[in-house]
Amino acid sequence: MPDLIIDARSASIAPGMNVMRILPFRLKRMVGPFIFMDHAGPVSKPPADYAEIDVLPHPHIGLSTVSYLFNGEVTHRDSLGVKQIIRPGEVNWMTAGSGISHSERFEDPSALKNGLEMIQTWVALPEKDEETAPSFTNYKPEQLPVFTDKGVWMRLIAGQAFGERSNVKTHSDLFYLHVNLEPGAVFGLPQEHEERAIYVANGVVEVGGTTFPKNKMLVFKKSDNPLIVAKEASTLLILGGEPLGERFIWWNFVSSRKERIEQAKEDWKQGRIMLPPNDDAEFIPLPEDKYKIAGSPPPEPLS
């Protein structure tokens, strides 16, 4: 059985966009270096309404954002001057490091005719890399290892698992898998990582005689060797890695030091974190600071 079961809960990241938030969770703030996980969609809207779910320019420090789509299309712009359209099966890996801002917009309604569904995770950076220079890379599906077996399809989004290694550049020891299972298929977890978790994005799986529907995350100890049985066609995100130590998170900022987050808040208020040069007409202001970092919940993070 899992060591912990996390129920995804609804969170708002834009006026027209609610997501299912999985991490952070009060009893499990991180799984390996993964400190944040949102599942957006499936969303279906009339073409004219997709602008409502745009996420305006906003800042990050101390982490890498990882965007991965099942359906739809998103236009990413950032303060490095990058404009990148991300499509299903691609990986957008943006390392904020010392500070970056970006936006996510839904500009082509024709690309959203089958709706929008995406996963975004944040990977905390090791202390030595928290102030690294910001960077952005888009990886195409053909750059990522794919494995198939009876009833199983697996893409290694990042890191290493099952003897495979992804081309995606990371700063720490981790793994991140997209797995599709046909009904009755059986799948296991990689054993080499200290912390591991399964998120059921769609479908129903059985582990240890108990069934788990979509929007559940199952967290396992290193000593566990569970078998995952698909009770119906199921889509899983499986992730984990080696723990990095305590991290503080406030809005879109992650750091091993509270004072660094305070600096980032002031930097955004004072305009010291650049806006995307090709999307600088509007931005999300710093939320009203009612909370202490170590106390009540901070403002909801954005993607």
Side-chain angles (χ1 to χ4, degrees), residues 111-139:
L112 298 163
K113 60 185 178 181
N114 294 321
L116 168 72
E117 187 171 10
M118 68 181 291
I119 300 287
Q120 188 167 90
T121 55
W122 296 356
V123 178
L125 294 172
E127 287 188 40
K128 67 181 179 62
D129 296 317
E130 285 184 315
E131 299 301 325
T132 194
S135 63
F136 175 89
T137 308
N138 171 268
Y139 297 88

Side-chain angles (χ1 to χ4, degrees), residues 58-91:
H58 59 278
H60 292 286
I61 67 161
L63 56 87
S64 295
T65 67
V66 186
S67 301
Y68 186 80
L69 271 67
F70 296 134
N71 289 302
E73 184 177 285
V74 181
T75 301
H76 160 100
R77 294 180 175 88
D78 64 40
S79 51
L80 299 175
V82 173
K83 177 184 176 182
Q84 177 68 54
I85 296 173
I86 179 173
R87 298 178 174 88
E90 298 179 355
V91 174

